[in-house]
Amino acid sequence: SIEVAAKNSIDISDQKARKFKINDFQRFDKILVMDDGRCVEYASAHELLQRDNSIFSELVEATGPENSSLLRAIAAEAKSQ
């Protein structure tokens, strides 16, 4: 199974990763994607969305064309701030 967890990197001392809806991921500094208990992706939403064959990108695309475009725009804007 694929698990996606997000953690705000400002709070490094907190080791608890939380599961969030895909629309909430864009506001986090880093995203961790795990497959069978292994880290397979770890980067900002913008970085993951730029990668070919990214699991996170596939999850975003699965939300539909309109929503995935919105999420990509939010991630790009967050990168520029």
Side-chain angles (χ1 to χ4, degrees):
S1 74
I2 302 293
E3 294 179 48
V4 181
K7 184 174 182 331
N8 188 327
S9 64
I10 295 170
D11 187 13
I12 296 171
S13 63
D14 181 7
Q15 296 300 315
K16 294 181 181 178
R18 300 176 188 162
K19 293 181 183 177
F20 293 90
K21 293 181 198 175
I22 199 74
N23 286 17
D24 295 330
F25 285 114
Q26 310 312 318
R27 63 188 173 106
F28 291 99
D29 296 331
K30 299 285 183 180
I31 295 170
L32 170 67
V33 180
M34 297 181 72
D35 187 8
D36 290 327
R38 293 180 309 112
C39 172
V40 293
E41 295 179 357
Y42 181 71
S44 70
H46 180 73
E47 290 174 74
L48 293 177
L49 292 171
Q50 300 304 309
R51 295 181 185 172
D52 293 335
N53 302 319
S54 165
I55 294 170
F56 181 72
S57 185
E58 289 177 21
L59 293 171
V60 167
E61 289 302 315
T63 68
E66 189 174 313
N67 194 57
S68 66
S69 292
L70 173 64
L71 294 174
R72 288 178 181 278
I74 292 168
E77 183 179 320
K79 179 190 179 277
S80 65
Q81 292 181 353

